[in-house]
Amino acid sequence: MPRYALKIEYHGAPFAGWQRQKDQVTVQGSIEAALARLEPRAHTIAAAGRTDAGVHALGQVAHCDMAATWTPFRLSEALNYHLKPAPVVIIDCAEVTEGWHARFSAQERQYQFRILTRRAPATHQDGLVWQVKHDLDVDAMQAAARHLVGRHDFTTFRSTICQADSPVKTLNRLEVTAVDTPHGREVHFDVRARSFLHNQVRSFVGTLERVGAGSWEPDQVADALAAQDRAACGPVCPPQGLYLAHVVYETDPFAGA
């Protein structure tokens, strides 16, 4: 059966997350239903990462196995036709080898998070950012973020329902930057690792926001990390500012596609 890699973009608001769930609208379920319209049978796709309810994707990657041989362009066009009007689209498609796997072949996941800092309610950005009504000290947030980069036991920043075998992960990058936009100042987070614990990025952002607001000192983040205790974590931020932005593979399956 030929295997295809799918690069997927979606707005997470109407979905109960990526993973298929009974009686819930999910991204995985929507794509599998579209595949069944093309080849009537049960389909199971695998993704690079399982995003939670309300989390968006700019470059989620999944793979599917088809009975027939499709040109990548025709497969992506057919899927997009059957996915309408849900806010999920296939933005790229490529045929890959039988052993290629969207999850297990991935070398790095890159997430972005956006905070909008203004008092007026968000309109065009509503549902796409976490809005706070106070200014944030980006330099202090970046100083705190440096404590988290590297290989650590991230128990403090791990959901209590996380199913990962170990809390030890290597964080490759956590950069905090201020971006002035026409609709107000945003604070952006660029977070990269091979893999993440459940709620790890949202736990980082929620904690760093407290630093930016002046409620925590940057060194308190190092203390929280060392505590290896979920109770030492700051608040977990809401999902709507989080994006799975890009997945890195040894060889980009979409290069030249």
Side-chain angles (χ1 to χ4, degrees):
M1 299 177 73
R3 177 165 289 188
Y4 297 89
L6 308 173
K7 184 180 288 188
I8 307 160
E9 178 182 280
Y10 51 87
H11 191 304
F15 297 108
W18 166 268
Q19 189 171 5
R20 184 196 321 110
Q21 300 177 49
K22 186 178 180 180
D23 301 324
Q24 296 282 342
V25 179
T26 67
V27 182
Q28 180 183 12
S30 298
I31 296 172
E32 290 173 349
L35 285 165
R37 299 291 297 275
L38 306 182
E39 293 185 358
R41 57 182 173 85
H43 290 260
T44 299
I45 61 176
R50 297 175 178 178
T51 54
D52 289 337
V55 176
H56 315 294
L58 304 174
Q60 169 74 282
V61 178
H63 73 257
C64 63
D65 295 320
M66 304 298 287
T69 298
W70 294 71
T71 65
F73 174 78
R74 181 167 171 256
L75 180 57
S76 62
E77 289 289 290
L79 284 173
N80 285 336
Y81 177 82
H82 290 295
L83 283 166
K84 294 184 295 187
V88 50
V89 295
I90 311 303
I91 58 175
D92 212 341
C93 178
E95 188 168 358
V96 291
T97 62
E98 182 181 354
W100 189 91
H101 196 285
R103 177 184 175 192
F104 299 122
S105 299
Q107 296 190 327
E108 185 178 72
R109 281 88 173 163
Q110 300 178 0
Y111 282 88
Q112 294 177 1
F113 198 98
R114 296 168 57 194
I115 299 178
L116 173 64
T117 62
R118 77 178 198 189
R119 292 197 59 81
T123 53
H124 295 292
Q125 304 304 316
D126 187 34
L128 297 172
V129 296
W130 174 28
Q131 183 178 1
V132 300
K133 296 183 178 180
H134 47 267
D135 291 333
L136 295 173
D137 184 338
V138 173
D139 290 337
M141 296 167 80
Q142 184 59 62
R146 293 191 188 100
H147 295 299
L148 301 171
V149 176
R151 185 171 177 83
H152 304 288
D153 181 323
F154 285 107
T155 296
T156 298
F157 301 95
R158 174 189 193 182
S159 167
T160 56
I161 62 172
C162 180
Q163 297 178 350
D165 292 335
S166 170
V168 177
K169 296 288 182 182
T170 300
L171 186 66
N172 298 334
R173 181 183 178 93
L174 177 46
E175 293 291 329
V176 188
T177 56
V179 180
D180 290 320
T181 75
H183 54 266
R185 190 175 192 242
E186 290 192 9
V187 177
H188 290 184
F189 299 77
D190 178 5
V191 193
R192 307 183 185 189
R194 186 180 186 94
S195 61
F196 289 89
L197 302 166
H198 188 214
N199 277 168
Q200 187 176 359
V201 176
R202 289 170 56 195
S203 297
F204 286 163
V205 173
T207 300
L208 293 175
E209 187 276 338
R210 292 290 77 202
V211 175
S215 297
W216 284 40
E217 293 297 324
D219 286 347
Q220 286 181 259
V221 173
D223 296 338
L225 176 67
Q228 298 178 17
D229 182 356
R230 183 63 173 171
C233 185
V236 178
C237 70
Q240 64 265 26
L242 182 59
Y243 300 75
L244 175 51
H246 184 59
V247 185
V248 176
Y249 296 92
E250 183 176 1
T251 301
D252 183 357
F254 306 105

